[in-house]
């Protein structure tokens, strides 16, 4: 049996809960889907603790950290990266931990296999390059986004898309589940959209697309992380954060060449 990959979506300051999940899978690789910061009713102190944890986590072997829409601001301090909930007080609280070296460790995407892509919010069909190979396209977009964030240039992947009233869908930092359109032959897993009480999946055209995120509560707020995935030997199994089995999905070879 190959080593398991533990996939944890948005934690929004709940790093202790995330570590509790990972403790059950010691020796496995961890993949975080972004959004480490900001939550309803949070504090600068909570941000400081999470920033300290994130610096530590990026220094551990076997851990991959993706960027979510709530994260670039706290690394760069640039106005183009601000989102609802971000404040200068929280920025300053964690600044000593979110170093240039930590920023260099952050990624916008991760290829679990050659046709299984992990991002924060999902690469919708309209945002994919129509001709260029996806692996090259994603690598170039990652480089451009990280450079643009540092220079306050409002990169396309940080635009909110239809959520902000634009005609286009957002990129894989901001794409909402309601706007997501699958790409034939490409399996994907992402978080970002706390719209339901359980993870969502879309299986069509030979692809599997899974959205993991924390469920919104009746009185407001959300519980993070809401669930997690375990990928091993070509199969993805989805659990609640309390480790209850939800669904198991087979990730097949590509239906079309990428």
């Amino acid at each position: 049996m190959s080593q398991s990959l533990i996939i944890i979506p948005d934690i929004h300051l709940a790093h202790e809960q995330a570590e509790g999940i990972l403790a059950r899978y010691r020796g496995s690789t961890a993949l975080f889907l972004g959004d480490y910061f900001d939550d309803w009713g949070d504090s600068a102190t909570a941000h400081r603790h999470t920033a300290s944890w994130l610096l530590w986590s990026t220094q551990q072997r076997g851990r991959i950290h993706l960027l979510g829409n709530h994260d670039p601001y706290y690394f760069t301090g640039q106005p183009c990266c601000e989102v609802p909930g971000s404040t200068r007080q929280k920025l300053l609280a964690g600044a000593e931990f979110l170093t240039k070296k930590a920023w260099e460790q952050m990624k916008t995407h991760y290829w679990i296999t050659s046709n299984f892509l992990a991002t924060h919010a999902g690469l919708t069909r309209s945002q994919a390059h129509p001709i260029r190979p996806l692996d090259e396209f994603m690598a170039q977009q990652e480089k451009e986004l990280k450079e643009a964030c540092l220079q306050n240039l409002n990169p396309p992947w940080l635009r909110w898309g239809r959520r902000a009233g634009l005609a286009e869908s957002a990129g894989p930092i901001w794409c909402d589940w309601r706007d997501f359109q699958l790409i034939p032959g490409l399996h994907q897993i992402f978080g970002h959209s706390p719209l339901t009480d359980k993870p969502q999946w879309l299986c069509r055209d030979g692809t599997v697309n899974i959205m993991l995120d924390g469920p919104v509560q009746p009185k407001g707020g959300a519980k993070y992380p809401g669930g997690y995935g375990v990928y091993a030997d070509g199969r993805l199994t989805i659990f609640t954060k309390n480790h209850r089995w939800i669904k198991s999905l087979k990730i097949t070879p590509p239906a079309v060449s990428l």
Side-chain angles (χ1 to χ4, degrees):
M1 180 177 179
S2 62
Q3 184 184 52
S4 296
L5 177 69
I6 314 305
I7 305 169
I8 299 181
D10 314 44
I11 63 174
H12 290 285
L13 308 182
H15 59 276
E16 293 180 352
Q17 291 90 324
E19 289 296 335
I21 291 171
L22 293 176
R24 296 176 63 93
Y25 300 93
R26 296 190 185 282
S28 297
T29 298
L31 171 61
F32 294 91
L33 299 183
D35 272 10
Y36 311 93
F37 300 104
D38 295 326
D39 195 11
W40 284 272
D42 60 9
S43 67
T45 299
H47 267 248
R48 181 177 176 82
H49 290 162
T50 297
S52 175
W53 164 82
L54 184 55
L55 173 62
W56 170 84
S57 189
T58 61
Q59 296 171 342
Q60 306 308 303
R61 294 184 61 184
R63 294 193 174 203
I64 303 143
H65 301 82
L66 304 189
L67 285 167
N69 54 295
H70 282 268
D71 306 318
Y73 175 71
Y74 294 107
F75 282 94
T76 69
Q78 296 290 10
C80 74
C81 300
E82 290 186 64
V83 300
S86 59
T87 69
R88 182 166 178 77
Q89 183 182 23
K90 292 187 288 188
L91 168 71
L92 295 175
E96 69 177 277
F97 303 108
L98 302 182
T99 62
K100 179 182 178 181
K101 187 174 182 179
W103 173 248
E104 291 172 350
Q105 295 296 314
M106 308 301 290
K107 302 177 179 295
T108 59
H109 65 285
Y110 178 72
W111 290 100
I112 298 173
T113 71
S114 62
N115 70 313
F116 190 12
L117 176 66
T119 61
H120 174 64
L123 178 65
T124 194
R125 187 167 61 240
S126 62
Q127 289 289 321
H129 197 283
I131 299 176
R132 192 173 184 184
L134 280 181
D135 55 349
E136 295 180 8
F137 171 69
M138 295 296 288
Q140 182 62 34
Q141 290 296 105
E142 176 177 280
K143 179 181 179 181
E144 292 179 3
L145 178 136
K146 294 184 74 175
E147 291 176 352
C149 285
L150 292 172
Q151 299 175 40
N152 194 33
L153 295 179
N154 191 25
W157 275 8
L158 277 187
R159 296 172 190 165
W160 302 6
R162 291 181 182 143
R163 190 188 295 206
L166 302 177
E168 62 181 14
S169 297
I173 304 295
W174 265 108
C175 181
D176 290 329
W177 175 246
R178 62 187 175 182
D179 295 329
F180 176 76
Q181 295 178 320
L182 62 80
I183 299 172
L186 180 67
H187 305 295
Q188 296 195 58
I189 187 166
F190 44 89
H192 178 68
S193 298
L195 302 177
T196 63
D197 61 354
K198 65 179 181 180
Q200 298 292 293
W201 47 86
L202 176 63
C203 303
R204 192 180 300 158
D205 296 337
T207 65
V208 175
N209 299 270
I210 307 98
M211 190 277 288
L212 298 173
D213 200 356
V216 173
Q217 303 304 294
K219 295 183 180 180
K223 290 186 177 180
Y224 298 106
Y228 64 96
V230 178
Y231 176 77
D233 296 325
R235 185 169 292 275
L236 177 74
T237 305
I238 304 171
F239 297 91
T240 70
K241 70 175 181 179
N242 295 321
H243 317 295
R244 287 187 290 107
W245 179 91
I246 296 178
K247 194 172 184 66
S248 185
L249 299 160
K250 187 176 182 180
I251 309 299
T252 60
V256 297
S257 175
L258 300 180

